[in-house]
Amino acid sequence: MVTLSAPKEEGGQSKQPFVAAEFVLVPPHPPVTWAAGPGPGPAQAEAAAAMAAALRGLGLLRARLGLPPAAPATPAGLARAAHRAPDLRAGGGGAAAAAARPAAGRSYGSQAKEEEELRVRYLDDEHKGIVVLGLNRSHAKNALSKNLVKMMSKAVDALKSDKKVRTVIFRSEVPGIFCAGADLKERAKMHSSEVSSFVSRARATINELANLPVPTIAAIDGTALGGGLELALACDIRVAASSAKMGLVETKLAIIPGAGGTQRLPRTIGVSLAKELIFSARVVDGEEAKSIGLISHVVEQNEAGDAAYKRALALAKEFLPQGPVAMRVAKLAINQGMEVDLVTGLAIEEACYAQTIPTKDRIEGLLAFKEKRPPRYKGE
């Protein structure tokens, strides 16, 4: 049994309202009993390993949200461990999140500063809760420069702690281009040691995007090559215009994808096909990308050149009515579960499901169903 409780400040007071919850991870094996003797049998050992792996998965979330690490798991510790649960409710940490947002990068509705290389828009009205990150380096085809990567990192860092954000859309503000990859003109001026540092920074930033707790959508209305496609691969869902061009073309430059492409592409379309595309540096259009599973939706481009963005916006709007806590833990369960075996994944699912049980939103969902009305979720 694992007990989840709120973090405590000095004096024993909770930092924020929280409903304590207890749950038991129940793998499809006999209960684990820790006792002196020759040691647990194979079934017990496998069940214990599944439980420990599930707790490690939750530990990754603790680190991602800045919570202190838990004590190392031991047989005795698993029986009495008390772990603090991450606050996945939409109302938590609102003031801190507002303070963390970059003032120059935030704008409302369709307003944004034209000179910004990354335009951050918090949508209003029927789209409230949707945030749009727009690449805006028209003179360089949205190539990833040091400054742009730095701006992306700051924006993502602010978003991950903002519980009012429900979905993030990544798009281009430049017609006909999503992102051309790394800024090769800037790269040519770098020392070899600077290149390694820049690639590591870009990789870390794209990983942070992938680890955002809310759904993310890449709207590909133009060319996405190299790091541009790696950026899109880090999003949960990809939507592209049929005329868009996509490819990991790094081998043409005698290098390899360095911001997650060699790992995320095979996880998306399969190992053999991913190797073929990377080895050949092949570029595919939207239709072929859809046929191989690289993107989820393909749309015909419109006169404004934003058909993929409009489809992404409609998709994000479908997510808004759902329970905010449920959306976050569903993403966590899927992401963590895909990296482990099925038994461990089911244990992770159970641990994540338990976090939804004590929420007010769950009660509201049942009440709304009974009263035959739309639920009014608050992320609590």
Side-chain angles (χ1 to χ4, degrees):
M1 177 174 291
V2 179
T3 301
L4 300 180
S5 59
K8 301 292 184 179
E9 293 180 335
E10 292 184 3
Q13 297 296 318
S14 295
K15 292 183 178 179
Q16 55 199 9
F18 191 85
V19 181
E22 293 187 341
F23 61 94
V24 179
L25 300 178
V26 186
H29 298 280
V32 179
T33 302
W34 299 102
Q44 292 176 325
E46 185 177 353
M51 180 183 292
L55 294 178
R56 285 196 300 274
L58 291 178
L60 294 175
L61 180 63
R62 295 169 60 86
R64 189 179 306 159
L65 296 180
L67 298 175
T74 62
L78 285 173
R80 64 175 185 271
H83 292 276
R84 288 172 291 187
D87 183 9
L88 296 174
R89 294 164 293 180
R101 295 176 195 137
R106 175 165 182 167
S107 57
Y108 295 86
S110 60
Q111 300 177 355
K113 295 183 179 180
E114 290 295 332
E115 68 270 21
E116 292 171 351
E117 291 190 346
L118 180 69
R119 303 171 70 185
V120 183
R121 294 187 292 148
Y122 288 70
L123 304 188
D124 297 321
D125 302 325
E126 62 178 342
H127 297 119
K128 187 175 182 180
I130 300 174
V131 178
V132 180
L133 301 182
L135 298 173
N136 193 40
R137 293 191 76 211
S138 58
H139 64 284
K141 297 184 178 180
N142 289 339
L144 299 174
S145 64
K146 290 181 179 180
N147 183 60
L148 181 55
V149 169
K150 181 179 179 180
M151 294 180 70
M152 287 169 50
S153 179
K154 287 184 177 180
V156 170
D157 189 59
L159 291 174
K160 69 183 180 183
S161 59
D162 189 343
K163 301 300 187 295
K164 293 182 180 179
V165 176
R166 304 286 294 278
T167 300
V168 176
I169 298 176
F170 221 109
R171 66 166 301 192
S172 168
E173 303 284 348
V174 181
I177 189 76
F178 178 75
C179 175
D183 189 333
L184 297 182
K185 290 183 179 179
E186 182 182 73
R187 178 77 59 87
K189 300 176 183 178
M190 294 182 185
H191 186 270
S192 57
S193 60
E194 291 182 276
V195 173
S196 178
S197 176
F198 172 77
V199 173
S200 294
R201 192 180 309 115
R203 183 187 304 113
T205 299
I206 289 177
N207 283 342
E208 286 299 307
L209 170 63
N211 290 333
L212 280 174
V214 297
T216 54
I217 307 173
I220 308 171
D221 274 306
T223 302
L225 300 177
L229 182 55
E230 289 178 297
L231 182 63
L233 283 167
C235 294
D236 298 314
I237 300 167
R238 286 161 296 284
V239 180
S242 57
S243 58
K245 304 297 182 182
M246 291 157 271
L248 295 180
V249 297
E250 286 84 350
T251 52
K252 282 187 175 181
L253 298 173
I255 56 175
I256 68 171
T262 63
Q263 302 306 305
R264 292 192 176 97
L265 186 63
R267 284 170 166 80
T268 302
I269 66 173
V271 174
S272 181
L273 188 53
K275 288 178 177 178
E276 180 180 330
L277 293 184
I278 291 174
F279 294 166
S280 64
R282 185 183 306 157
V283 174
V284 299
D285 62 17
E287 294 290 350
E288 185 175 358
K290 176 65 168 64
S291 70
I292 63 177
L294 178 57
I295 62 176
S296 300
H297 303 274
V298 59
V299 292
E300 289 295 326
Q301 189 58 280
N302 56 28
E303 292 184 3
D306 63 353
Y309 169 66
K310 287 188 174 180
R311 181 68 183 91
L313 191 61
L315 192 59
K317 190 176 177 181
E318 288 185 47
F319 299 162
L320 292 180
Q322 321 313 329
V325 177
M327 295 290 282
R328 290 168 178 255
V329 295
K331 178 171 178 175
L332 174 66
I334 295 170
N335 285 356
Q336 297 288 332
M338 290 304 296
E339 301 301 323
V340 298
D341 62 89
L342 180 60
V343 172
T344 306
L346 291 173
I348 291 172
E349 178 185 76
E350 185 167 4
C352 289
Y353 187 98
Q355 297 191 54
T356 68
I357 294 176
T359 63
K360 294 180 181 179
D361 280 353
R362 186 182 72 88
I363 303 303
E364 165 62 15
L366 294 174
L367 186 61
F369 177 79
K370 180 180 179 181
E371 297 176 355
K372 298 182 180 180
R373 60 169 174 80
R376 295 183 289 270
Y377 296 127
K378 298 180 179 179
E380 300 176 351

